[in-house]
Amino acid sequence: MSVRGYFVAFSKCTVLLFLRMLLLVPAGLPVRSQGDSQSDNKVMDNITVRQGETVFLRCAQGDVVTHTAWLNRSSILYAGEDKWSVDPRVSLVTLNQEEFTIKIENVDMTDEGQYVCAVQTSSRPRTTSVHILVQVPPKIINLSRDFVVNEGSNVTLMCQAGGKPEPSISWKLISSSAHLASDDEYLEIPSISRQKAGTYECTAVNDIDTDVQTVDITVNYVPSVSEGRDVGVTLGQRGVLECEADAVPAADFEWYKEDRRIFNGFDGMEIMNTGSLSKLTFFNVSDGDYGNYTCVALNTLGSSNTSFLLFVVIEPTSSTLLQGPRAVQDGSGGAMGVHLHTCLLFIVFLPFLLRF
């Protein structure tokens, strides 16, 4: 080994011996401020730093210093200008008669704890200690995934987060008119309805920051169709029956005349489905088209239906005014035609009656 190697090894042994003698303080011994006549040990105020920031550890020197070191628990970070820590985030900033300062970059939770500056002066040794507190912004680490559920099922959403100080958790439904909120990491939704489908927002908050993530819930339910509206069409004209269904998943449509299913292009009729709406179109209504029709909406959970009446409408002419309207309607349609026919006859013969 070279002379320089022996010198370095001797210096490290000397530092270690100095630190061991300096830090062999009986457990439970009270720590007094530097101004206390019985001790030169000093406790600085805690240093609070956010995760990812840089912290500076400053130690006043004073007098004639022979040895100085910064320690983290049982590990030596720096002994004078010699770096003992293998952590690249730790570096020396200042070392002179007035100040011994090191810095730790990109602080993490593992850096939290007590740090000691040990100084051997010409008179006697002294220590300065400081405790680093690391604050961590909230981070949602366990969140329920998006999912699909049938209406009436019981649902539990989970949102767990880490951070320091410990974050508070809250839930709210943000994409629906239904008001639903909770101040717990678990959100219970018993017998979920279609109105409670949508996007649920989990928020984790502490003194440092906020983390927000969302969960989408899709609720499947049986189709429900709007009440059918009867349509009157003149012979030879165009007519349309419209059927609208609310369903998740989206409904398929079937059309029937009486008990016979209608397919696209059947007898000149066209079926067009667009989203939740189905249209049955008659391009040239004939006598055989008049009658009762049924629209059926179906999905994997069930079906629903509604009925329509396509009835004839006669355009009024001079001849039909005397004959009365002819229509294919429900039971009340015939009686209405007879009454209207009677009224028209009364109006026509009224001038003759008034002569007598």
Side-chain angles (χ1 to χ4, degrees), residues 43-353:
V43 179
M44 299 172 60
D45 292 335
N46 292 339
I47 297 177
T48 300
V49 61
R50 296 186 180 185
Q51 185 182 42
E53 294 182 343
T54 298
V55 62
F56 291 87
L57 302 180
R58 294 181 175 85
C59 177
Q61 300 281 69
D63 297 331
V64 179
V65 176
T66 57
H67 297 93
T68 185
W70 268 108
L71 303 91
N72 175 13
R73 295 178 288 271
S74 60
S75 302
I76 301 174
L77 302 178
Y78 265 92
E81 294 182 346
D82 295 330
K83 182 179 180 180
W84 287 41
S85 172
V86 296
D87 192 336
R89 300 175 303 127
V90 180
S91 60
L92 178 65
V93 177
T94 305
L95 177 59
N96 52 41
Q97 290 186 347
E98 289 78 26
E99 181 183 342
F100 180 27
T101 301
I102 63 172
K103 72 175 179 179
I104 305 173
E105 299 177 285
N106 194 22
V107 173
D108 203 354
M109 281 295 299
T110 55
D111 299 315
E112 187 170 270
Q114 187 180 43
Y115 290 76
V116 176
C117 175
V119 176
Q120 176 64 52
T121 67
S122 56
S123 55
R124 54 185 172 179
R126 71 171 186 271
T127 62
T128 301
S129 63
V130 62
H131 198 96
I132 293 180
L133 300 175
V134 180
Q135 292 184 327
V136 181
K139 178 66 178 177
I140 296 174
I141 56 178
N142 196 357
L143 182 71
S144 296
R145 295 183 178 181
D146 299 345
F147 61 93
V148 179
V149 64
N150 291 341
E151 190 171 36
S153 301
N154 296 327
V155 172
T156 300
L157 296 180
M158 178 183 63
C159 179
Q160 296 175 330
K164 187 177 180 184
E166 183 178 356
S168 61
I169 305 294
S170 63
W171 281 99
K172 70 176 180 178
L173 176 57
I174 62 175
S175 61
S176 172
S177 58
H179 177 73
L180 193 63
S182 172
D183 293 326
D184 192 3
E185 62 182 23
Y186 293 98
L187 176 62
E188 303 285 346
I189 312 173
S191 188
I192 192 168
S193 65
R194 66 193 71 181
Q195 291 78 19
K196 293 179 182 177
T199 301
Y200 287 78
E201 182 181 81
C202 172
T203 303
V205 180
N206 67 7
D207 296 338
I208 311 305
D209 207 346
T210 300
D211 190 22
V212 178
Q213 294 190 34
T214 59
V215 178
D216 288 324
I217 299 180
T218 301
V219 178
N220 290 336
Y221 52 91
V222 177
S224 59
V225 294
S226 303
E227 184 176 355
R229 185 171 61 87
D230 297 342
V231 175
V233 182
T234 302
L235 192 66
Q237 298 300 309
R238 181 177 180 271
V240 180
L241 301 180
E242 294 187 355
C243 178
E244 188 170 10
D246 179 25
V248 176
D252 294 321
F253 293 93
E254 295 178 357
W255 284 91
Y256 296 84
K257 182 180 182 184
E258 307 301 341
D259 295 329
R260 183 178 58 172
R261 184 173 177 183
I262 301 170
F263 294 93
N264 204 15
F266 176 81
D267 286 348
M269 289 180 264
E270 179 186 73
I271 299 173
M272 180 173 292
N273 300 328
T274 307
S276 63
L277 182 65
S278 179
K279 293 183 179 182
L280 177 62
T281 302
F282 306 84
F283 293 98
N284 185 7
V285 174
S286 65
D287 285 329
D289 293 329
Y290 296 117
N292 291 308
Y293 290 82
T294 301
C295 169
V296 180
L298 317 90
N299 67 7
T300 55
L301 275 71
S303 65
S304 182
N305 64 80
T306 187
S307 297
F308 303 82
L309 177 65
L310 183 70
F311 61 91
V312 66
V313 173
I314 302 299
E315 292 183 355
T317 63
S318 58
S319 59
T320 57
L321 284 175
L322 295 176
Q323 296 175 3
R326 178 171 59 91
V328 179
Q329 300 185 37
D330 55 16
S332 63
M336 290 178 63
V338 171
H339 293 156
L340 182 58
H341 181 66
T342 303
C343 291
L344 289 173
L345 290 176
F346 180 76
I347 294 172
V348 170
F349 289 102
L350 181 60
F352 298 96
L353 294 174

